[in-house]
Amino acid sequence: MRTLRDKRPRLLDVADSSRERALLVLQAIAEECGRRGYEFSLRPDDNPTFQISMDGVSFGFVMFEEYESRPVMNEADLKEAKYDWQRVRSTVRKVRSGKLVIRTGSRHSPVSWADRKRWSLAGRLPYLFAYVEQSTIETIEQRANAERERIERRQAWERALDRARQLCVTDLNRRRLDDQLAASRRAENLRCYADSIDRQAEAMDDAEPALQARQWAAWMRSEADRTDPLLRLTDLAYVRPEAIKDSDLDAFMPRGMSVWRRPPQ
């Protein structure tokens, strides 16, 4: 209270005539916080006016004095008036009302307690503490739900990533299999064609063309041997690469998930 009164009075937006009562209300709040085991302090963001913390949950509050529209006499005319019966002009202005308000919550959904005709701000303090208690329970539940959802999202992403790895490896081996089948058929076709060329060469009367044909057939067989997967025994196995690029995995992630968007730990 001493800090609000002496060092940082700007955090208490009230007229001088209302300041003492405002400080008494704040003192009552601080004492009740102490009785309940809550923490009462100024707000760490240096905004008006104070905060209450319960079970690790903090709520910022603003205390201020409301303004109201009221006719106010013109000071210059008052000074110039010589007689009581003289008419003095007045204008409607926003002036301090003497009504104190404590407000919390966001700009779009504020919650407040205030002086009114039927009650005083001090009489509404039990409702303020009820708000703190209920809001703390709700905030803790929301945090727990958010934490649970975060863990579930992370676990779902990790499962999806494992599944993507499996699908990526399966797809790799399927493509390898298709390539091997195509290469095996080509090698078989090359050998069959080479055999046909050899038979044609045997029937040729001209030795030079027959020699060229046999050489062509021999090159075909060497090409068949070069590309025949059945002759590369190390390729005849299901492969599991040690490392897979994220760019290769991303295509196998479920809709709405990406390797690049990792949920927080």
Side-chain angles (χ1 to χ4, degrees):
M1 295 307 106
R2 187 178 299 108
T3 301
L4 279 173
R5 184 187 61 200
D6 301 332
K7 297 182 179 180
R8 298 165 73 184
R10 64 180 180 79
L11 297 182
L12 193 54
D13 183 19
V14 298
D16 290 342
S17 58
S18 300
R19 185 168 298 276
E20 190 62 31
R21 186 165 72 90
L23 290 171
L24 288 174
V25 171
L26 292 175
Q27 184 65 42
I29 294 174
E31 291 175 356
E32 182 63 17
C33 284
R35 189 184 70 80
R36 293 171 178 247
Y38 305 165
E39 180 184 349
F40 177 90
S41 63
L42 297 183
R43 295 171 63 170
D45 54 10
D46 202 37
N47 285 331
T49 302
F50 65 95
Q51 77 173 16
I52 296 175
S53 302
M54 172 185 175
D55 294 338
V57 181
S58 298
F59 301 92
F61 296 86
V62 178
M63 174 180 269
F64 60 94
E65 184 177 351
E66 288 182 325
Y67 283 84
E68 65 181 6
S69 298
R70 186 187 304 166
V72 177
M73 297 298 181
N74 187 285
E75 292 291 337
D77 290 349
L78 279 173
K79 291 179 180 180
E80 293 178 1
K82 296 181 180 180
Y83 306 102
D84 292 341
W85 50 265
Q86 279 187 280
R87 186 170 182 178
V88 179
R89 291 178 301 168
S90 65
T91 55
V92 176
R93 297 178 186 174
K94 292 285 188 180
V95 297
R96 298 283 191 176
S97 66
K99 297 176 181 177
L100 299 179
V101 181
I102 294 178
R103 179 175 294 166
T104 189
S106 66
R107 183 178 62 178
H108 302 292
S109 57
V111 180
S112 60
W113 305 266
D115 289 325
R116 291 297 179 258
K117 290 182 179 180
R118 295 173 55 191
W119 57 72
S120 68
L121 174 59
R124 310 308 287 178
L125 295 186
Y127 298 98
L128 182 151
F129 282 100
Y131 169 86
V132 170
E133 291 175 357
Q134 183 60 34
S135 297
T136 298
I137 293 171
E138 293 174 356
T139 300
I140 291 174
E141 289 178 351
Q142 291 169 2
R143 288 179 179 178
N145 290 336
E147 177 65 10
R148 182 167 55 253
E149 291 173 1
R150 183 196 64 77
I151 293 173
E152 290 174 352
R153 285 195 302 271
R154 181 73 187 191
Q155 291 175 342
W157 182 85
E158 290 174 348
R159 289 194 298 269
L161 189 63
D162 289 340
R163 178 63 174 162
R165 289 193 183 97
Q166 296 172 10
L167 293 174
C168 185
V169 171
T170 298
D171 180 72
L172 169 65
N173 282 280
R174 283 173 177 162
R175 287 186 282 108
R176 289 181 64 249
L177 177 58
D178 290 340
D179 292 343
Q180 286 183 7
L181 286 173
S184 179
R185 285 193 294 266
R186 181 175 180 273
E188 184 178 355
N189 290 337
L190 285 172
R191 292 187 183 105
C192 289
Y193 189 43
D195 291 343
S196 297
I197 291 175
D198 280 340
R199 287 193 294 270
Q200 286 293 106
E202 290 177 2
M204 290 180 182
D205 295 330
D206 194 334
E208 183 62 24
L211 176 62
Q212 292 179 353
R214 289 190 181 92
Q215 290 174 342
W216 180 233
W219 184 85
M220 286 183 190
R221 290 188 178 90
S222 66
E223 179 68 9
D225 291 344
R226 185 185 69 80
T227 59
D228 190 352
L230 294 175
L231 300 181
R232 297 192 302 274
L233 299 181
T234 56
D235 288 347
L236 304 181
Y238 190 93
V239 299
R240 292 181 174 83
E242 294 183 2
I244 304 175
K245 295 180 180 179
D246 287 347
S247 56
D248 294 331
L249 286 176
D250 206 49
F252 299 95
M253 293 292 283
R255 192 186 194 99
M257 289 188 180
S258 173
V259 173
W260 313 109
R261 294 194 297 273
R262 299 172 182 263
Q265 291 280 11

